[in-house]
Amino acid sequence: MNIPGPEPQADGGVGAVAAAGGLHTYQLRLHAEYGPVVRFQLPGAETAVSVADPVLLEATAGIDKRPERLFAFLAPLFETGNLQVMPADEHGPWRRLLLSVLAGRPSHERHFAQFTALATALADGWAERACGEPVELQKDLTALSLRMICAYALGGEVADPDGVVAAFEEVLTEHLGQLYGPRAEGAERSREALAHLRATVDRVVAAHRPGGRADSSDLIGALVEAGERPARIRDTVMVTMLAAHHTTGVAVSWALHLLGRHPDVADRVADELDRVLGDRAAPDYADLRRLTYLDMVLKESMRLYPPGPYGARETTEALVLGGYEIPAGATIFYPIWAVHMNPDHWPQPEKFVPDRFTPEAAAGRPRLAYIPFGLGPRACEGAGLAVVEAQLVLAVLLKRFRFRPAPGHEVTPIERFVLWAADDIRMIVSPRASG
Ligand code: HEM
């Protein structure tokens, strides 16, 4: 049986993706028109298949390979090979090591005070703004999450954290910029910034002593103790910062965008924060577990605006999916956004309804109906840490402020490696006490 999809075009599919405004919206359209399994053209992928049905996705959940050409643009960031497409035998032990740090409660707890201080500093800055002047949420919140991941990945040993943040921004602007259109200037600055970042990691590695300083980096400590070579440690810090930074920042800004448009939900969150925190301005780590409605709001926000709008795999052997035969070597897309908007599992999918995530409601859905962190052996290792960070930042901000959309400002989601708002998300931030 042939997989349904649009007629092949002479341009190899480039025009159709551009006309739809990017791959994420193209996938939404394709699935609306052709059903849950769609074949389409994409430069660099001979057979590209997108699967938006959570039950059919199960058949792909064991695939342990990403398509190299799709991620080739990241290769210059790495010294030991592109970590996004590492071979499975190398990736398995690396993943287990990362999970042993990133997914562990002790590591989250140890960095919690530092994260709280950074979130509070941002809130203090917003409180000092002229009344009524809109805040650019995306800009400020991605900067905050970059600060958090720098503090986390490099520990407190770094002499010049602002310099590291600036260097990382320089590198990212250059490399992601190339993906979305060439930049004439910047290559030299980016090379210097990359060298600065690598030298910074080397200094942290050199200073590492088992059981050393209380604010040492858990991540680098684990990599050193596992005997990883210095270049692989540098690469791992780079990929962690890359993967952690925009994703967590936009998760929080999309949540605030939705809350600003749903005051009834925002009131319920505020009530929960008052009940759990009392007079305290920020939660303790142990409080997060009690902020159950906030957690549902975050989940529903990441359903409607998944920070990573799609993932991809390459089949290593032929497989049958919903009656269709997919050859070995095919590119399978996980169209995360289209999966989250699948009306078979999400009635009125465009509506913001946090109660979809009560334990009872969630238990009635297939496992892969909600996949903001991807799935299978290459799923996000940072999911646990990301949720802790996002919940903490939301709790600090929503305990203190109310958010309203800036009048006349239009918010348009576009794909820019993450699901990004084209012209930021501008909101009026006012102290809660005064309404
Ligand atoms: C809300 C925030 C985040 C979201 C929505 C997110 C989402 C994702 C997605 C969709 C993938 C691709 C998964 C796949 O191909 O199946 C991914 C990969 C990854 N993420 Fe995250 N992520 C977030 C935060 C973080 C954080 C905080 C870290 C680290 C501290 C992190 C580390 C990684 C790494 C290392 C990978 C590569 C996985 C691999 O190749 O094994 N992410 N993430």
Side-chain angles (χ1 to χ4, degrees):
M1 205 164 36
N2 283 338
I3 305 171
E7 287 298 315
Q9 301 295 320
D11 68 358
V14 186
V17 177
L23 203 47
H24 63 308
T25 28
Y26 187 47
Q27 287 169 343
L28 278 181
R29 284 190 200 172
L30 287 176
H31 286 295
E33 190 170 345
Y34 298 100
V37 184
V38 178
R39 179 186 176 133
F40 63 105
Q41 282 179 295
L42 195 71
E46 204 170 304
T47 307
V49 178
S50 183
V51 184
D53 180 302
V55 179
L56 295 181
L57 276 175
E58 290 286 356
T60 74
I63 304 176
D64 200 358
K65 187 175 191 320
R66 285 208 182 96
E68 269 181 39
R69 284 168 73 179
L70 217 59
F71 293 93
F73 72 101
L74 289 172
L77 288 181
F78 302 110
E79 298 167 78
T80 62
N82 185 345
L83 295 200
Q84 282 286 322
V85 294
M86 221 189 299
D89 57 344
E90 226 181 306
H91 179 264
W94 179 85
R95 173 178 179 81
R96 281 192 290 282
L97 186 76
L98 240 60
L99 282 173
S100 75
V101 181
L102 296 177
R105 184 190 161 118
S107 177
H108 301 167
E109 208 162 1
R110 242 160 57 80
H111 290 85
F112 201 76
Q114 214 174 2
F115 290 165
T116 306
L118 290 168
T120 305
L122 175 74
D124 289 346
W126 282 359
E128 281 164 18
R129 293 172 71 91
C131 194
E133 194 190 328
V135 163
E136 291 176 330
L137 292 187
Q138 192 168 256
K139 176 168 144 289
D140 286 0
L141 289 165
T142 51
L144 172 65
S145 68
L146 180 53
R147 268 165 213 285
M148 283 179 160
I149 196 64
C150 273
Y152 180 87
L154 297 170
E157 283 123 309
V158 176
D160 173 23
D162 288 346
V164 172
V165 166
F168 191 73
E169 272 171 346
E170 183 63 47
V171 172
L172 267 196
T173 311
E174 172 66 13
H175 289 275
L176 297 188
Q178 279 174 4
L179 188 62
Y180 296 99
R183 268 186 0 141
E185 84 293 359
E188 183 53 37
R189 283 217 312 270
S190 155
R191 256 193 303 278
E192 282 167 18
L194 196 52
H196 176 71
L197 288 174
R198 289 178 175 157
T200 306
V201 178
D202 283 345
R203 277 197 296 278
V204 178
V205 171
H208 175 77
R209 305 273 176 281
R213 291 170 52 152
D215 61 350
S216 62
S217 160
D218 293 338
L219 181 65
I220 291 182
L223 290 159
V224 171
E225 273 148 47
E228 282 290 2
R229 58 210 142 125
R232 179 47 67 79
I233 297 179
R234 293 194 290 269
D235 282 353
T236 302
V237 169
M238 286 300 293
V239 83
T240 306
M241 284 171 58
L242 174 77
H245 150 226
H246 285 123
T247 44
T248 317
V250 299
V252 175
S253 47
W254 286 119
L256 293 173
H257 163 74
L258 287 161
L259 288 171
R261 280 151 182 83
H262 296 85
D264 51 326
V265 177
D267 284 346
R268 240 178 106 180
V269 172
D271 287 348
E272 181 181 74
L273 285 166
D274 288 347
R275 205 170 54 247
V276 173
L277 303 190
D279 292 338
R280 288 175 298 143
D284 292 331
Y285 179 70
D287 291 320
L288 294 187
R289 246 180 324 133
R290 298 160 64 206
L291 297 172
T292 49
Y293 190 64
L294 182 74
D295 182 52
M296 284 157 54
V297 165
L298 177 62
K299 286 194 171 108
E300 175 69 343
S301 304
M302 289 200 291
R303 180 186 71 80
L304 277 169
Y305 295 107
Y310 54 80
R313 298 291 184 271
E314 186 174 306
T315 51
T316 48
E317 50 194 51
L319 80 122
V320 177
L321 237 173
Y324 302 114
E325 253 182 61
I326 316 243
T331 299
I332 303 254
F333 276 96
Y334 294 156
I336 298 177
W337 212 7
V339 173
H340 289 182
M341 299 299 278
N342 184 332
D344 292 345
H345 304 286
W346 306 101
Q348 297 186 289
E350 68 294 339
K351 283 208 166 148
F352 177 57
V353 185
D355 282 325
R356 297 184 203 264
F357 286 95
T358 60
E360 302 74 41
R365 279 188 299 268
R367 183 178 78 101
L368 301 178
Y370 179 66
I371 49 167
F373 297 106
L375 63 114
R378 305 266 167 157
C380 178
E381 287 92 1
L385 180 66
V387 169
V388 166
E389 285 185 39
Q391 288 179 342
L392 166 63
V393 175
L394 284 171
V396 167
L397 296 176
L398 293 164
K399 181 76 170 85
R400 190 153 164 188
F401 302 119
R402 177 165 272 282
F403 292 80
R404 278 181 295 122
H409 170 61
E410 210 171 298
V411 176
T412 313
I414 56 165
E415 187 235 327
R416 213 176 147 74
F417 200 52
V418 294
L419 196 60
W420 191 249
D423 185 26
D424 214 303
I425 299 176
R426 291 167 215 262
M427 297 191 87
I428 311 287
V429 180
S430 46
R432 251 180 73 206
S434 61

